[in-house]
Amino acid sequence: MAHPVRARLRGRRLLLGTALAGLVLGLLPAATQADTRADAGPDTGPAAAGNDVIANLWSWNWTSVAAECTDVLGPAGYAAVWVAPPAESLAHPQHHWWDVYQPYSYALNGRLGSEADFTAMTAACNGAGVAVYTDAVVNHTAAQTGTGYAGTALGDKYAPPMYSRADYNVDVCNREIADWNDKWEVQNCELLGLPDLKTGSDAVRDKIAGYLNAQIARGVSGFRVDAAKHIPAADLEAVVGRLDDTAAGGRPFVFHEVFPGGTPAPDEYYGSGRVLDFFFGDRVKAAFQSDIAQLENLGPDQGLLPAQNSVSFVTNHDTERNGRHLTYKDGDTAVLANVFQLGWTSAPPTVYAGFAFSGNDDSPPADAGGFVTGTDCGAGWYCLDRDPRITGMVGWRNAVGDAEVTDWQSPRGNVVGFGRGGAGFVALNNTGEPLSQEFGTAVADGTYCNVLDDCASEVTVAGGRVTLDLPAKGAVAFHP
């Protein structure tokens, strides 16, 4: 959500606002008591690649997410969908995208739809074989007073309906974070004026867990924890330990946003879940803007987090705005980077599909009240998740499973090919010209469908060699 990146401070300084009056909504059911079972930790996901791709449908409303699960994600083989925060939030007068990261109440009735819409969405996605992960904003509540999307009025930022002033760290630090290298400040002072919850308190932990368990009861299977570095690792472990099992009977899948820079380090959070790997996106952008041959040994030796502790991504809603990572504005280069991600990493990968923007604070397509309207991939939305090159690679990844990366080749600049043993092969052309190139492959001799063009073309392996016609800024992938 918000972090020590100065380019982002400009928009977030708008958080201080004026009060309005209205009704106050009640709090959702309280949390269960602390769970001390040995298995009360998170589900860290598959140990190896395959059947693990997460579609990040950022800011899509619940009706659109439900339809996408049924029509696209399930049939394509996505494992899960990650959606925006479901709680009621500030209804900013200009409806900036970030108002959903300012909770007004824990009611599941907000900018993206009603509680009934949310429950219908999780049912549709689960029915399509797609797990649902939500953004969990639990470090803080709203900084800006006003009215929420469900009518909750907030006149004092330390007095939302679910908390009182005693539930915040304002008594120990009543200012914004100043020293990002001081761990105590990072975890006790206020992130851009957002009231910092006292997560060391059992009462606060219970309320946070109650909010998350209310979602699990409605079919949610996991959470991406926003601004996790601002919560002590032990506090997050205590909250995760209070979470109920999912409807499928397993532990929730939990992954954290630990924005790089300053303290604390990502590995402090492995005890309560995986961590989003910003360094993966960094290395991929650098390579795709120079020569992708440098990706040959991409892994911990190049600064990545361990695959078993991380979730990878090419871009997200923050980094596409601050220039850190590739975005939809990079066109086929960004698509190709996602093809590489799906072919390479053994960490669960995410495919980001958001909305077009010109200003950093722009609202997603919405009605006059700020409620997000249905996703129309031809009008204001960028639906990478349904691009045939991406859905083809999701299926390819599922097919090759946990086979090791083999047969790396870079026969010319910005052209690479690699296999997953004999389970599949993919080649990428990051140049601006189409080309024909021969590669060696362990895939058995035969004729195979190119899964990246809906099988419109075929390739033939003979004697362990294959000649591929690679489009400009394009790729070919096949498997038995």
Side-chain angles (χ1 to χ4, degrees), residues 36-108:
T36 57
R37 295 171 303 161
D39 65 347
D43 172 12
T44 56
N51 299 292
D52 60 352
V53 184
I54 303 167
N56 181 4
L57 303 189
W58 187 65
S59 286
W60 291 38
N61 71 20
W62 306 143
T63 301
S64 295
V65 172
E68 198 77 354
C69 282
T70 301
D71 299 337
V72 178
L73 303 185
Y78 283 89
V81 60
W82 160 19
V83 300
E88 181 191 12
S89 69
L90 161 73
H92 190 280
Q94 279 75 51
H95 306 299
H96 296 318
W97 64 263
W98 44 258
D99 67 9
V100 295
Y101 289 90
Q102 296 201 43
Y104 263 39
S105 79
Y106 286 159
L108 302 177

Side-chain angles (χ1 to χ4, degrees), residues 194-267:
L194 295 156
D196 193 73
L197 283 165
K198 191 176 291 183
T199 50
S201 158
D202 279 334
V204 171
R205 292 172 178 179
D206 286 345
K207 289 179 181 178
I208 291 172
Y211 165 54
L212 302 180
N213 281 331
Q215 296 177 51
I216 291 173
R218 290 159 178 79
V220 169
S221 295
F223 306 97
R224 174 264 194 185
V225 180
D226 178 69
K229 72 182 293 178
H230 301 283
I231 306 172
D235 295 356
L236 275 176
E237 291 178 22
V239 170
V240 170
R242 286 164 159 78
L243 298 183
D244 295 335
D245 286 346
T246 68
R251 299 300 298 151
F253 182 81
V254 179
F255 54 113
H256 303 301
E257 179 199 34
V258 181
F259 202 90
T263 186
D267 61 5

Side-chain angles (χ1 to χ4, degrees), residues 339-372:
V339 169
F340 172 79
Q341 176 191 211
L342 293 167
W344 181 265
T345 180
S346 55
T350 68
V351 174
Y352 177 79
F355 59 88
F357 63 93
S358 55
N360 285 352
D361 294 331
D362 286 356
S363 168
D367 63 20
F371 293 94
V372 175

Side-chain angles (χ1 to χ4, degrees), residues 436-454:
S436 181
Q437 182 64 54
E438 185 181 68
F439 296 89
T441 177
V443 175
D445 288 359
T447 299
Y448 302 101
C449 157
N450 173 18
V451 299
L452 303 192
D453 65 4
D454 281 334

Side-chain angles (χ1 to χ4, degrees), residues 386-425:
R386 60 172 67 170
D387 187 306
R389 294 166 289 185
I390 301 303
T391 56
M393 277 305 293
V394 172
W396 184 93
R397 182 180 180 85
N398 292 344
V400 304
D402 60 1
E404 294 289 333
V405 172
T406 59
D407 303 317
W408 174 274
Q409 298 147 79
S410 183
R412 63 178 77 183
N414 259 320
V415 176
V416 303
F418 59 90
R420 287 294 191 90
F425 191 85

